[in-house]
Amino acid sequence: MATNDDDLYGDLGDAVAKSMTPSNTTRRTTTTIANIHTSTTSTSLASAPPPRTITSQSEFSQLQKQVETLKGGNDILKKNIGILYRTSKSELERKDRIIDQLQNELDLLRR
C-alpha cells in the first residue's frame, strides 16, 4: 500500500458509534435491518409509500441529524471499499509475482 490513506483499519474508531449502549446498538441494528428489508422488497418507486409530512421542528432536526449520520457512514463505506479494492489488487499482483518466481525456480531445477 502506497499511502497512509490506504490504512484499512485507520478509521475503525470512526465507524464505531461513540458511547453506544447495547440497547442503542440493538435499536439501530433493528432499524437498519427493517430499512434494508423495506428497500429490497419494494419493486419500484411507484410502489413506495407516499412521503409523510414532518409535523415539528424537532422532528425535522432529528431527521437532519440522521441524514448527516448516514452521509458520514456512507463516506466511510466508500473509502473502505476503495481501500479493499486497492489492497486486493496489490495482493493479487504480489501473489502473481511469487507464483512467477516459484515457477522460474522450478524450471531451473528441472533443467
Side-chain angles (χ1 to χ4, degrees):
M1 289 185 262
T3 66
N4 289 338
D5 291 339
D6 287 348
D7 182 7
L8 181 59
Y9 303 106
D11 63 345
L12 186 60
D14 296 337
V16 177
K18 297 168 186 78
S19 68
M20 287 185 63
T21 62
S23 61
N24 288 343
T25 305
T26 304
R27 184 171 38 251
R28 180 174 288 178
T29 303
T30 304
T31 303
T32 302
I33 291 170
N35 290 343
I36 290 171
H37 178 67
T38 302
S39 66
T40 57
T41 56
S42 64
T43 56
S44 70
L45 292 177
S47 66
R52 63 184 186 87
T53 304
I54 298 173
T55 58
S56 68
Q57 182 64 31
S58 65
E59 185 180 7
F60 180 73
S61 297
Q62 182 183 9
L63 290 173
Q64 279 184 319
K65 288 178 186 176
Q66 185 179 9
V67 166
E68 290 304 315
T69 301
L70 291 172
K71 283 181 180 179
N74 191 29
D75 290 342
I76 290 170
L77 290 173
K78 285 179 182 179
K79 177 183 175 188
N80 286 348
I81 194 72
I83 292 169
L84 285 171
Y85 174 77
R86 289 187 298 276
T87 301
S88 62
K89 185 176 176 183
S90 67
E91 278 297 303
L92 286 172
E93 291 169 353
R94 182 182 70 83
K95 289 181 180 186
D96 283 344
R97 286 192 306 270
I98 290 172
I99 290 170
D100 288 342
Q101 178 186 3
L102 291 172
Q103 187 64 48
N104 288 339
E105 289 176 15
L106 182 61
D107 290 344
L108 288 174
L109 291 173
R110 287 185 178 167
R111 290 182 191 176

